[in-house]
Amino acid sequence: SMVTHMEDKQLTKFWELEEVSNERQLSQEDTVCEENFENTTKRNKNGSYTVRIPFKERPSNLGNSKSRAIARLLQLEQKFVKNKDLALRYKNFMQEYLDLGHMKKVSFEEGEGDYYIPHQAVLRESSTTTKLRVVFDASCKTSIGTSLNQTMHVGPRLQQELSDILLRWRKYEFAFTADIEKMY
């Protein structure tokens, strides 16, 4: 069967529409974040990487955050009284964070510019890697109404559109997913 010129053009247009684009348009803020990442990323002796927080401006005083963080911790401890398994998993999670160097113990004195991040324990039995995650809330406002998140650039969206991922999956016979432990 012969394909007409018009049908050929329509078919070509259809495939062009279906093609997944990998190009990203970076805003000025995204560019600042990319440059911060490139200029401040360092590899540590243990093989891990560190990068400086992409502050919009270096905050001189975020206000008091310790009281809200303590209030959230006290709420969490009330859950521990009712759920000993949750308490044990939380303690193990936090100990691992200390051992890995993701956090460190600090004195009780709150210094200027310090920000205590409130957190909560999320238990998900269906997870294959980590049953308990501790979720940190850097969007919690301090005594002056500012949060740590508000002082930082957001940066470019790194995840691809789900529709693009699904379209790409059509090209292959096999696909797999993975859960990267402690990615962020």
Side-chain angles (χ1 to χ4, degrees), residues 9 11 31-32 40 52 55 63 70 72 75 79 84 100 107 111 113 115 121 127 136 154 161 165 167 175 179 183:
K9 272 179 104 172
L11 194 57
T31 303
V32 168
T40 67
R52 284 198 182 157
F55 287 113
I70 289 173
R72 292 257 196 107
Q75 288 175 339
K79 288 182 182 179
K84 300 293 183 203
L100 292 171
S107 69
Y115 185 83
S127 174
F136 296 90
V154 175
E161 292 288 338
I165 294 168
L167 281 172
D179 183 4
M183 177 72 172

Side-chain angles (χ1 to χ4, degrees), residues 129-153:
T129 53
T130 311
K131 304 293 180 199
L132 178 126
R133 285 186 318 121
V134 175
V135 178
F136 296 90
D137 181 11
S139 64
C140 184
K141 295 195 183 325
T142 66
S143 59
I144 62 171
T146 304
S147 73
L148 182 62
N149 281 354
Q150 288 175 313
T151 66
M152 297 185 292
H153 290 287

Side-chain angles (χ1 to χ4, degrees), residues 30-43 50-54:
D30 293 345
T31 303
V32 168
C33 286
E34 292 274 335
E35 288 171 358
N36 178 76
F37 180 80
E38 288 174 14
N39 295 332
T40 67
T41 300
K42 292 185 175 67
R43 186 156 191 193
T50 58
V51 63
R52 284 198 182 157
I53 295 174

Side-chain angles (χ1 to χ4, degrees), residues 88-151:
L88 180 62
R89 289 182 189 203
Y90 173 84
K91 182 181 176 189
N92 291 340
F93 184 98
M94 289 307 216
Q95 185 60 53
E96 184 179 16
Y97 258 44
L98 281 170
D99 295 344
L100 292 171
H102 295 333
M103 68 178 187
K104 63 182 178 180
K105 292 182 181 182
V106 295
S107 69
F108 285 102
E109 299 301 317
E110 187 169 14
E112 190 175 306
D114 289 350
Y115 185 83
Y116 292 82
I117 304 176
H119 59 275
Q120 63 189 19
V122 176
L123 195 58
R124 197 172 65 186
E125 293 294 344
S126 63
S127 174
T128 55
T129 53
T130 311
K131 304 293 180 199
L132 178 126
R133 285 186 318 121
V134 175
V135 178
F136 296 90
D137 181 11
S139 64
C140 184
K141 295 195 183 325
T142 66
S143 59
I144 62 171
T146 304
S147 73
L148 182 62
N149 281 354
Q150 288 175 313
T151 66

